[in-house]
């Protein structure tokens, strides 16, 4: 019995200590663990009960969208791809489409990554950057790449050949800029091998 009483006394002492750190008005066990935690959604406070109306799972974190908006990387910055096919290879960000996808290029003449669209979730930004002045990218958008994928399925060689010509001119412009910087040229050729514990 004495051991049980000592355990209860230790629990009460620990609860009072934690309650003092949290700075609650009523230092009881019920208030300590059933206190409502307010979350910020677009600037308005929402309780846990309000999450059910918003169809948000309990485990997901809700953050203030105004304060914690992730800014996309600047155009011309070097990205590291995380997708399975080109995992660890570096590309240059050329343009951001209306759907939010990144148009990137290796370029193909340097590291073998062709002109393509990638999901920004599978990219890592780096500090390196390439100047993209006087590079015309007005033709590249979502409709262009959708038409290109359809032409590959239907085996329309004219559209694929015109795309390869555009890719050649873009790669030649990028390679001319990159080869001026020896370290950037060597950096783009290297490949990062991610360990299985990275994910």
């Amino acid at each position: 019995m004495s051991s049980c009483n000592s355990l209860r006394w230790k629990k009460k002492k620990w609860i009072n200590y934690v309650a003092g750190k949290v700075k609650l008005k009523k230092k009881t066990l019920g208030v300590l663990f059933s206190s409502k935690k307010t979350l910020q959604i677009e600037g308005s406070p929402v309780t846990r009960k309000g999450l059910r109306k918003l169809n948000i799972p309990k485990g997901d974190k809700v953050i203030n969208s105004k304060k914690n908006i992730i800014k996309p990387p600047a155009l011309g910055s070097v990205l590291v791809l995380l997708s399975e096919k080109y995992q660890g290879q570096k590309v240059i960000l050329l343009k951001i489409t209306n759907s939010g996808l990144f148009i990137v290029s290796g370029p193909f003449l340097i590291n073998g990554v062709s002109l393509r669209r990638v999901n920004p979730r599978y990219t890592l930004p780096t500090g390196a950057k390439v100047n993209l002045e006087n590079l015309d990218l007005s033709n590249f958008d979502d409709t262009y790449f959708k038409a290109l994928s359809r032409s590959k399925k239907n085996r329309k060689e004219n559209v694929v050949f015109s795309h390869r010509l555009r890719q050649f001119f873009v790669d030649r412009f990028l390679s001319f800029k990159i080869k001026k910087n020896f370290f950037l040229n060597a950096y783009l050729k290297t490949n990062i091998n991610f360990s299985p514990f990275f994910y």
Side-chain angles (χ1 to χ4, degrees):
M1 293 295 291
S2 61
S3 62
C4 293
N5 292 329
S6 63
L7 287 173
R8 289 176 183 174
W9 182 79
K10 287 180 180 178
K11 285 182 181 179
K12 287 181 181 179
K13 188 177 180 181
W14 178 81
I15 289 166
N16 291 328
Y17 173 76
V18 175
K21 293 293 183 182
V22 178
K23 295 182 180 179
L24 295 174
K25 292 181 180 179
K26 298 180 180 179
K27 298 178 181 180
T28 59
L29 183 63
V31 176
L32 181 62
F33 291 100
S34 66
S35 60
K36 293 182 180 180
K37 296 179 180 179
T38 57
L39 301 174
Q40 293 291 329
I41 301 176
E42 295 182 356
S44 60
V46 179
T47 59
R48 291 284 182 184
K49 293 181 180 179
L51 293 177
R52 298 175 184 175
K53 298 179 181 180
L54 296 172
N55 296 323
I56 299 174
K58 293 181 179 179
D60 292 353
K61 294 181 179 179
V62 182
I63 59 175
N64 192 346
S65 60
K66 292 183 179 180
K67 293 181 181 179
N68 297 304
I69 297 174
I70 300 173
K71 294 182 180 180
L75 298 180
S77 58
V78 178
L79 308 176
V80 180
L81 296 181
L82 302 177
S83 58
E84 293 182 357
K85 188 176 181 180
Y86 297 103
Q87 190 180 66
Q89 290 187 328
K90 301 174 186 68
V91 292
I92 299 170
L93 177 61
L94 301 178
K95 190 177 180 181
I96 301 174
T97 62
N98 294 328
S99 62
L101 298 176
F102 290 172
I103 298 177
V104 299
S105 180
F108 186 81
L109 298 174
I110 292 177
N111 56 15
V113 182
S114 59
L115 187 69
R116 60 182 59 248
R117 290 185 302 174
V118 295
N119 194 326
R121 291 184 178 181
Y122 300 102
T123 59
L124 281 177
T126 63
K129 193 175 180 182
V130 179
N131 190 6
L132 298 180
E133 289 184 1
N134 301 324
L135 180 61
D136 187 15
L137 299 170
S138 58
N139 294 325
F140 301 106
D141 53 3
D142 291 320
T143 55
Y144 174 83
F145 283 96
K146 287 179 181 178
L148 180 64
S149 62
R150 291 172 186 171
S151 63
K152 287 182 179 179
K153 291 179 181 179
N154 298 328
R155 296 182 179 180
K156 293 182 179 180
E157 296 181 356
N158 294 330
V159 179
V160 177
F161 182 73
S162 63
H163 171 70
R164 288 178 179 174
L165 280 176
R166 292 191 180 98
Q167 179 181 340
F168 173 75
F169 286 113
V170 171
D171 287 356
R172 190 176 66 173
F173 176 86
L174 293 174
S175 60
F176 179 75
K177 294 275 186 179
I178 292 165
K179 287 180 179 179
K180 291 181 180 179
N181 191 341
F182 174 78
F183 296 101
L184 182 61
N185 188 15
Y187 179 68
L188 288 170
K189 289 181 180 179
T190 57
N191 190 8
I192 300 175
N193 294 322
F194 292 109
S195 64
F197 300 102
F198 179 78
Y199 298 99

